[in-house]
């Protein structure tokens, strides 16, 4: 005799199709022209920063950099739904989320230039720095959510990572903690179809990444990650659920990585240009711009003014970054230990202030 132990359904939501035409009923905020214009401007700003960062790296003035090209709607959509008391725990492709939360362009340039002063955010002081080790931010987020509960604070922890993170043990441990303790945490997966050179279908036999939440006792859903309206709406629902004491959830954002994994990668070695070209037709900026033109009188003058403003802002931030005096050599030891062990203290002393 056999019985069904559990069953589940994974829903996938979208608000705009690839051309920017509405799909079904839109959330209320989609009727506000200024809200949508701010989302569009944030994505344009993210892409302009991205292009400048790649250019600086190619000329030896920035370190290895992870582009967010094609994924701007995820970072902006998630962050725009968050509140100031929430805590963001990003991986290395969430520039749009960080910028929306108040991290400055100059701070991001500093960080990617290898300067820890870039993590000393002037704005979101409780947000975590960029997490390079894959998936380690997810158990951190469970810990942050537990701390919020124990302190009686109203915030929600929001961890963001790529599809490759769902293949790591850290990810599953975080899901288990969140489900066992009903923690106010939202896990966001940017499924860009590639974990460096490993295709999504080669990483897991699961039909969706969202269904991995079920093992932890959490709900999971998919959303069109190239649709900033849908991403924001899904995140709003998840955050409201967490704030209401109903625990965490997992959102899988379906997108595609249009660029290399990082500037140290050459994606042409493992995928064809024809494949990438298909996904350029789905990218998020054109999609929202088309909707703004059709529904909210966005015109050429406003578009060109925005592009000029953003480009000038990015160039000015890059100039300020390049003009900053490098940190002293000893700074590399400043954030290793509360008290340096004798052998490392000796190295720090040897480094001096030069």
């Amino acid at each position: 005799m056999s019985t069904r132990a559990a069953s589940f359904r994974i829903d996938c939501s979208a608000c705009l199709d690839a051309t920017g035409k509405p799909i079904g009923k839109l959330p209320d905020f989609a009727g506000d022209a200024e809200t949508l214009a701010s989302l569009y401007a944030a994505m344009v700003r993210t892409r302009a920063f991205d292009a400048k960062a790649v250019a600086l790296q190619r000329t030896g003035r920035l370190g290895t950099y992870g582009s967010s090209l094609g994924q701007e709607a995820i970072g902006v959509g998630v962050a725009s739904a968050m509140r100031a008391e929430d805590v963001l725990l990003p991986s290395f492709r969430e520039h749009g989320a960080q910028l929306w939360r108040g991290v400055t362009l100059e701070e991001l340039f500093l960080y990617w230039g290898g300067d820890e002063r870039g993590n000393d955010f002037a704005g979101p002081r409780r947000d975590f720095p960029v997490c390079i080790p894959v998936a380690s931010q997810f158990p951190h987020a469970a810990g942050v959510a537990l701390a919020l509960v124990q302190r009686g604070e109203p915030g929600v922890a929001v961890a963001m990572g790529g599809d490759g993170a769902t293949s790591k043990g850290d990810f599953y441990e975080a899901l288990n903690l969140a489900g066992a303790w009903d923690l106010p945490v939202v896990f966001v997966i940017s499924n860009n179809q590639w974990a460096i050179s490993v295709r999504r279908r080669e990483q897991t036999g699961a039909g969706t990444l969202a269904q991995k939440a079920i093992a932890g006792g959490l709900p999971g859903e998919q959303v069109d990650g190239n649709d900033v309206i849908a991403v924001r709406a899904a995140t709003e629902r998840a955050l409201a659920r967490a704030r209401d004491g109903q625990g965490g959830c997992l959102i899988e954002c379906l997108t595609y990585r249009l660029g290399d994994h990082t500037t140290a990668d050459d994606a042409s070695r493992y995928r064809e240009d024809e494949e990438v070209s298909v996904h350029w037709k789905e990218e998020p900026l054109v999609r929202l711009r088309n909707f703004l033109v059709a529904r909210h009188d966005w015109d050429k003058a406003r578009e060109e003014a925005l592009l000029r403003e953003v480009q000038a802002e990015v160039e000015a931030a890059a100039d300020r970054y390049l003009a900053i005096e490098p940190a002293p050599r000893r700074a590399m030891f400043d954030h290793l230990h509360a008290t340096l062990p004798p052998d490392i203290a000796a190295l720090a002393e040897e480094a001096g202030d030069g």
Side-chain angles (χ1 to χ4, degrees):
M1 177 180 177
S2 63
T3 58
R4 178 177 297 229
S7 62
F8 63 88
R9 169 181 168 176
I10 300 298
D11 292 320
C12 185
S13 59
C15 294
L16 303 178
D17 68 14
T19 67
K21 293 180 181 178
I23 302 172
K25 186 178 184 299
L26 299 180
D28 290 343
F29 70 80
D32 184 75
E34 290 309 310
T35 296
L36 293 190
S38 67
L39 295 174
Y40 179 64
M43 291 195 294
V44 170
R45 187 172 181 238
T46 302
R47 186 166 292 186
F49 164 76
D50 198 83
K52 186 63 177 181
V54 171
L56 289 172
Q57 191 280 329
R58 296 307 191 203
T59 54
R61 295 177 290 176
L62 207 71
T64 301
Y65 172 75
S67 170
S68 63
L69 183 64
Q71 298 181 211
E72 298 89 351
I74 300 175
V76 171
V78 168
S80 65
M82 295 173 65
R83 296 178 183 172
E85 67 262 25
D86 298 331
V87 180
L88 177 68
L89 297 94
S91 66
F92 50 85
R93 231 180 285 280
E94 277 72 58
H95 321 305
Q98 290 185 289
L99 290 169
W100 185 282
R101 296 277 294 166
V103 177
T104 68
L105 292 163
E106 187 176 328
E107 287 167 344
L108 286 183
F109 282 131
L110 273 171
Y111 170 77
W112 288 105
D115 193 324
E116 281 296 326
R117 291 176 292 183
N119 283 328
D120 189 16
F121 308 141
R125 298 295 294 174
R126 297 205 304 177
D127 283 3
F128 275 44
V130 169
C131 185
I132 298 296
V134 175
S136 60
Q137 71 272 29
F138 290 100
H140 294 165
V144 168
L146 178 60
L148 291 170
V149 171
Q150 292 181 334
R151 294 175 179 177
E153 297 179 8
V156 178
V158 179
M160 303 182 68
D163 46 289
T166 68
S167 298
K168 296 290 294 294
D170 314 53
F171 173 75
Y172 292 100
E173 291 164 11
L175 287 178
N176 189 63
L177 287 172
W181 296 341
D182 290 326
L183 298 177
V185 59
V186 176
F187 301 122
V188 180
I189 296 300
S190 301
N191 180 3
N192 66 20
Q193 313 304 320
W194 291 94
I196 309 182
S197 59
V198 181
R199 288 183 182 274
R200 145 74 175 92
R201 64 174 177 263
E202 296 170 352
Q203 297 176 49
T204 177
T208 70
L209 301 182
Q211 74 194 58
K212 295 189 175 190
I214 306 301
L218 304 179
E221 67 171 289
Q222 288 184 322
V223 64
D224 186 338
N226 293 330
D227 180 349
V228 70
I229 297 175
V231 173
R232 174 168 170 160
T235 307
E236 286 181 344
R237 292 192 298 270
L239 289 170
R241 184 179 185 278
R243 295 189 208 286
D244 196 38
Q246 298 181 53
C249 72
L250 172 64
I251 302 172
E252 176 189 359
C253 299
L254 300 171
T255 185
Y256 190 84
R257 196 191 77 211
L258 294 176
D260 297 326
H261 174 68
T262 69
T263 51
D265 175 44
D266 178 7
S268 67
R269 297 175 61 187
Y270 52 83
R271 66 182 188 184
E272 300 298 325
D273 290 343
E274 291 77 9
E275 175 184 336
V276 182
S277 297
V278 170
H279 290 284
W280 267 105
K281 299 175 183 177
E282 304 165 350
E283 67 99 350
L285 272 68
V286 171
R287 183 180 305 205
L288 184 56
R289 182 168 69 239
N290 287 345
F291 182 74
L292 283 168
V293 170
R295 289 289 189 93
H296 295 294
D297 299 322
W298 189 263
D299 56 23
K300 183 179 179 180
R302 292 186 70 181
E303 177 75 13
E304 291 179 346
L306 172 63
L307 293 177
R308 287 193 301 271
E309 177 185 343
V310 166
Q311 194 59 42
E313 182 186 14
V314 170
E315 291 294 337
D319 289 343
R320 291 193 299 272
Y321 154 68
L322 293 170
I324 293 175
E325 284 291 324
R329 287 195 303 258
R330 196 187 186 288
M332 73 178 76
F333 301 98
D334 286 348
H335 304 286
L336 293 178
H337 302 272
T339 302
L340 291 177
D343 55 337
I344 298 180
L347 291 173
E349 184 66 25
E350 183 180 336
D353 294 327

